[in-house]
Amino acid sequence: ADAEDGHDFGGCRRRYYRQSLRLLREAVQAWAGESPPLDFVLQLGDIIDGQNARRGEAENALQRVLEVLGQLPVPVHHAWGNHELYNFSRARLARSGLCSRRAAGGSQGPPDPECHAYHCSPAPRLRLVVLDAYDFSTLGREPDSPRYRESLRVLREKNPNEDLNSPAGLKEPHFVAFNGGFSQAQLDWFDEVLKFSDENQEKVIVMAHVPIHPEASNGVCLAWNYEAALSVIHGHGCVVCVLAGHLHDGAYSLDCHGVHHLTLEGVVETPPDSNAFATVHVYEDKLVLKGRGRIPDRVMCF
């Protein structure tokens, strides 16, 4: 956002809105010099800030970010985050440069044309699955739509607070409006994709904006029906890693099925003299992550 520095909703964490574009340029420049060259880039969501909607600058902010990412000679896969949905309706996002399925050569997603989930195979025996963590959500949908009404019903059932973004006093604090979940149709589709990967002895990397494992979260930034998504993953042997954003502190967990859950640190809360991006090298038996700035190096074996 083209705005002065601010703070998070709790007023504790500094947010460097205007500096974020410069840090993105630095990331793109660093990636351009990688050897061997990159095959693709994953953008884990919240690429612009929600305050652009209030300022009437959503379209301009998105264009500035896409121009920088457009300098990359490789596909960019975008996850949709809550801040995209503060700025745009799902229908508008489906027509925007953030609808990466077609541009990145992704295969057909779930039946709902506004569900931003798809998969592709960027290398032999490797599959990338992009999930839509706000498919089941009140964000970005018309209030009179069936999906909005059902999402609001579930949210109010779990969260009696006047402010639906507040987890205060909740037994399940992840039931807040800035999170979302996965429709059954998306989960069924996901199950079929993983079945195909099992049968073809593929390794699968999953990306979504919202974490789906409690230990790769702070307990609040977590998909509403994360258990259902984990159940699909654990019903197969092909998923090696789940990448997420949303939680600006970042987190990591290796679950009991041997799946790595990595939540990357947020650029918006990264000081101007640092950064928050990484390069992943994929091998037969491991992912080797080379972090920059706030993101530490990591080797994830499988």
Side-chain angles (χ1 to χ4, degrees):
D2 184 14
E4 297 297 324
D5 292 354
H7 291 85
D8 66 355
F9 295 110
C12 304
R13 305 291 299 275
R14 192 167 184 83
R15 291 189 169 175
Y16 305 90
Y17 297 111
R18 195 169 281 138
Q19 291 292 333
S20 296
L21 194 63
R22 182 177 61 79
L23 299 191
L24 176 61
R25 289 194 185 102
E26 288 180 8
V28 167
Q29 186 175 8
W31 283 328
E34 291 277 2
S35 182
L38 298 184
D39 288 298
F40 56 91
V41 167
L42 307 181
Q43 188 277 108
L44 294 166
D46 288 355
I47 198 68
I48 63 175
D49 194 80
Q51 65 176 291
N52 283 298
R54 298 191 298 273
R55 299 161 63 94
E57 296 175 359
E59 294 284 357
N60 184 52
L62 179 59
Q63 194 56 41
R64 293 179 75 188
V65 166
L66 291 177
E67 283 173 3
V68 176
L69 288 170
Q71 296 167 17
L72 291 162
V74 296
V76 180
H77 298 275
H78 297 280
W80 291 357
N82 49 310
H83 283 260
E84 280 85 2
L85 293 161
Y86 296 151
N87 282 284
F88 301 108
S89 69
R90 296 186 65 87
R92 172 68 184 89
L93 284 176
R95 300 190 307 272
S96 77
L98 294 178
C99 187
S100 49
R101 180 175 66 83
R102 293 181 299 276
S107 299
Q108 190 62 42
D112 181 354
E114 289 185 3
C115 179
H116 186 60
Y118 62 92
H119 62 100
C120 63
S121 178
R125 294 192 297 116
L126 176 68
R127 189 158 300 277
L128 171 69
V129 179
V130 179
L131 293 181
D132 186 341
Y134 290 91
D135 180 25
F136 187 46
S137 167
T138 57
L139 301 180
R141 294 193 182 274
E142 294 298 324
D144 61 350
S145 71
R147 184 68 58 84
Y148 178 94
R149 290 198 298 267
E150 175 62 12
S151 300
L152 185 61
R153 183 192 67 77
V154 169
L155 187 56
R156 290 198 183 281
E157 190 177 278
K158 299 284 190 175
N159 186 341
N161 293 330
E162 183 177 347
D163 178 5
L164 290 173
N165 278 317
S166 171
L170 300 186
K171 182 180 178 182
E172 298 173 284
H174 60 291
F175 278 97
V176 286
F178 58 78
N179 293 332
F182 310 98
S183 68
Q184 190 59 51
Q186 185 180 177
L187 292 171
D188 292 344
W189 166 86
F190 186 33
D191 190 47
E192 288 298 316
V193 173
L194 297 189
K195 181 181 177 183
F196 175 90
S197 290
D198 276 347
E199 291 169 351
N200 289 275
Q201 297 182 308
E202 294 180 331
K203 297 288 192 283
V204 177
I205 297 171
V206 176
M207 70 178 264
H209 180 64
V210 185
I212 61 171
H213 197 288
E215 292 177 13
S217 164
N218 60 353
V220 175
C221 293
L222 189 62
W224 288 351
N225 56 343
Y226 70 89
E227 301 101 328
L230 282 176
S231 179
V232 173
I233 289 172
H234 293 160
H236 300 273
C238 53
V239 176
V240 296
C241 183
V242 180
L243 298 168
H246 201 42
L247 176 63
H248 297 169
D249 282 340
Y252 168 78
S253 176
L254 176 63
D255 75 22
C256 59
H257 289 255
V259 179
H260 299 271
H261 296 264
L262 178 62
T263 304
L264 273 76
E265 288 78 353
V267 173
V268 73
E269 290 179 7
T270 298
D273 60 351
S274 185
N275 212 318
F277 67 99
T279 303
V280 177
H281 300 266
V282 184
Y283 296 90
E284 289 282 337
D285 60 346
K286 62 182 176 290
L287 303 175
V288 177
L289 182 141
K290 174 63 179 173
R292 311 304 212 289
R294 296 172 65 201
I295 298 179
D297 295 350
R298 194 179 297 276
V299 177
M300 294 175 279
C301 297
F302 43 81

